[in-house]
Amino acid sequence: MNRTDFLRQFHHLRQTHREPDYPLKSRGRPAAVLIPLMDYGNELTVLLTERAHHLRHHPGQVSFPGGAVDEVDNSVFDAALREANEEIGMPYENVEILGVLPSYRTVSGYQIAPVVGFVEPNFTPVIDPNEVESAFEVPLAHVLDRKNHLIHTARKGKRSSPIYFIPWNEHMIWGATAAILRNLSHHIHP
């Protein structure tokens, strides 16, 4: 999939299927992630991070650059760009924001705004070792193809919830990151 194909589908207005998220009792703490689409002309990839292994919450989990919306952020777009800059040194000017997908609520109490943007691939990630172990790319076509999505149903009492997994080489993309990628897939390929 290239930029033209992606834009043709991304900007097409339609209601899409959304994966179920966690029903928070309150609105949830606002957070934003950047879905960085690296544009190589004939192919798009998604830049993902592996969280630092020493972190207390979700160590080693694959994620998007992002985090909580802070008081200094004027919008979810600002938060996503600030976090991507802090975590992997992504220059603000390298990102062309396309829009935001519907928010996704997590079991940890966050309401995540997934910001989608094209990224000029002419930068080398500068990893903040306090937050990120590594950064890697996955072909966008792979993560959008629902044949590559695995679903496990977890049960807690009377409630059952799907947990999504997308394997890629030695990495397992799962949880909120995989669910957000599935939501993007529903938007691009309804």
Side-chain angles (χ1 to χ4, degrees), residues 20-26 105-107 159 161:
D21 56 7
Y22 193 77
L24 299 174
K25 291 180 179 152
S26 66
R105 299 171 299 182
T106 67
V107 68
R159 180 176 163 79
S161 303

Side-chain angles (χ1 to χ4, degrees), residues 96-131:
E96 177 190 340
I97 298 294
L98 300 174
V100 63
L101 294 174
S103 64
Y104 186 84
R105 299 171 299 182
T106 67
V107 68
S108 54
Y110 285 94
Q111 183 158 322
I112 301 171
V115 175
V116 181
F118 285 134
V119 176
E120 293 296 323
N122 61 350
F123 89 101
T124 303
V126 178
I127 304 297
D128 176 354
N130 293 317
E131 297 190 56

Side-chain angles (χ1 to χ4, degrees), residues 29-32 66-84 86 92:
R29 184 166 181 210
V69 175
D70 290 342
E71 289 181 14
V72 299
D73 300 316
N74 292 320
S75 66
V76 294
F77 302 107
D78 289 347
L81 291 173
R82 177 186 51 75
E83 287 283 345
E86 290 174 4
Y92 296 92

Side-chain angles (χ1 to χ4, degrees), residues 22-155:
Y22 193 77
L24 299 174
K25 291 180 179 152
S26 66
R27 183 165 157 77
R29 184 166 181 210
V33 297
L34 178 64
I35 303 175
L37 303 177
M38 308 298 285
D39 184 3
Y40 292 102
N42 61 343
E43 179 188 29
L44 295 173
T45 65
V46 180
L47 179 65
L48 296 169
T49 63
E50 177 185 359
R51 291 173 52 85
H53 294 208
H54 67 268
L55 293 175
R56 208 170 111 184
H57 300 289
H58 311 292
Q61 187 170 339
V62 172
S63 63
F64 297 109
V69 175
D70 290 342
E71 289 181 14
V72 299
D73 300 316
N74 292 320
S75 66
V76 294
F77 302 107
D78 289 347
L81 291 173
R82 177 186 51 75
E83 287 283 345
N85 181 265
E86 290 174 4
E87 292 179 11
I88 58 173
M90 183 176 291
Y92 296 92
E93 60 274 9
N94 274 42
V95 183
E96 177 190 340
I97 298 294
L98 300 174
V100 63
L101 294 174
S103 64
Y104 186 84
R105 299 171 299 182
T106 67
V107 68
S108 54
Y110 285 94
Q111 183 158 322
I112 301 171
V115 175
V116 181
F118 285 134
V119 176
E120 293 296 323
N122 61 350
F123 89 101
T124 303
V126 178
I127 304 297
D128 176 354
N130 293 317
E131 297 190 56
V132 175
E133 189 71 26
S134 67
F136 63 97
E137 294 179 43
V138 180
L140 180 63
H142 178 82
V143 296
L144 293 183
D145 186 346
R146 288 190 287 276
K147 289 183 228 162
N148 296 323
H149 301 181
L150 309 173
I151 304 171
H152 172 75
T153 302
R155 300 194 193 302

